Amino acid sequence: MQDMKASDVAGEYREVTLTYHDGSSRQVLVTENEVPYPEGKLIVSRTDNAGIITHCNQSFVDMSGYSEAELIGQPHHILRHPDMPAAAFGDLWDTVQRSEKWHGYVKNLRKDGNYYWVYATVIPNVRKGEVVGFTSVRRKPSRRRVEESASLYAELLKGEAQ
């Protein structure tokens, strides 16, 4: 996974180094511009057990700002926004590893440094009793819940920084 490029970002941005759960890191460029979630659209993706993207629909391509070719084969955390605490993803992984469905609000980082919020449902794909990957379906979130989530995540991030 490559660092973000200034040529992909329009306007002012801040640089942040993100370190992921697998120990990898990359430089991301983050704006303060929100892209509104489109009415009536569902974002769908599938990953393998390691979180590597194996399928994505056109809504995912459109909202992420990446091409399908840029997404397939990449870890799903390519979309991680630095405002998202590790604890949120820890809860997601703990839940799906138990073969249970997870729901939550997620702030995603686009290729252009802008962001968008989703209400995500992640479901383990089970074949012959074994988890073989995950399907994530994202829909338009409620603004009230986005605001609540943003406040909670800011508090969690403060705790992680200590």
Side-chain angles (χ1 to χ4, degrees):
M1 187 171 33
Q2 298 178 351
D3 290 344
M4 293 176 72
K5 299 177 195 154
S7 60
D8 289 330
V9 180
E12 292 185 30
Y13 60 86
R14 61 187 165 103
E15 294 183 43
V16 178
T17 300
L18 283 179
T19 301
Y20 302 102
H21 69 282
D22 63 2
S24 66
S25 64
R26 79 173 181 141
Q27 193 74 19
V28 296
L29 309 177
V30 182
T31 74
E32 297 303 320
N33 302 321
E34 181 173 5
V35 174
Y37 194 99
E39 290 293 334
K41 299 285 184 178
L42 291 177
I43 295 173
V44 179
S45 60
R46 283 193 297 272
T47 69
D48 65 12
N49 281 336
I52 304 300
I53 300 168
T54 59
H55 168 81
C56 57
N57 71 350
Q58 189 60 47
S59 293
F60 185 46
V61 170
D62 294 343
M63 281 304 287
S64 72
Y66 290 96
S67 69
E68 181 178 5
E70 290 173 309
L71 290 166
I72 301 297
Q74 292 297 314
H76 211 285
H77 62 236
I78 193 172
L79 300 173
R80 180 165 177 197
H81 194 284
D83 290 350
M84 288 296 300
F89 295 109
D91 179 59
L92 182 159
W93 280 106
D94 289 346
T95 302
V96 298
Q97 293 296 327
R98 293 189 309 265
S99 296
E100 297 174 8
K101 185 187 321 183
W102 180 88
H103 299 280
Y105 292 84
V106 179
K107 185 177 186 178
N108 283 323
L109 180 64
R110 292 169 42 95
K111 181 180 179 179
D112 62 8
N114 296 334
Y115 68 91
Y116 62 101
W117 280 92
V118 299
Y119 177 65
T121 301
V122 181
I123 304 163
N125 300 326
V126 179
R127 304 286 182 270
K128 298 181 183 177
E130 297 291 322
V131 175
V132 296
F134 306 96
T135 298
S136 178
V137 178
R138 279 86 77 204
R139 58 188 54 82
K140 184 174 183 164
S142 114
R143 279 322 295 177
R144 180 180 62 80
R145 293 300 306 261
V146 163
E147 291 166 12
E148 290 170 0
S149 297
S151 294
L152 172 63
Y153 294 163
E155 288 300 314
L156 289 171
L157 279 172
K158 284 180 192 173
E160 288 177 5
Q162 295 175 354

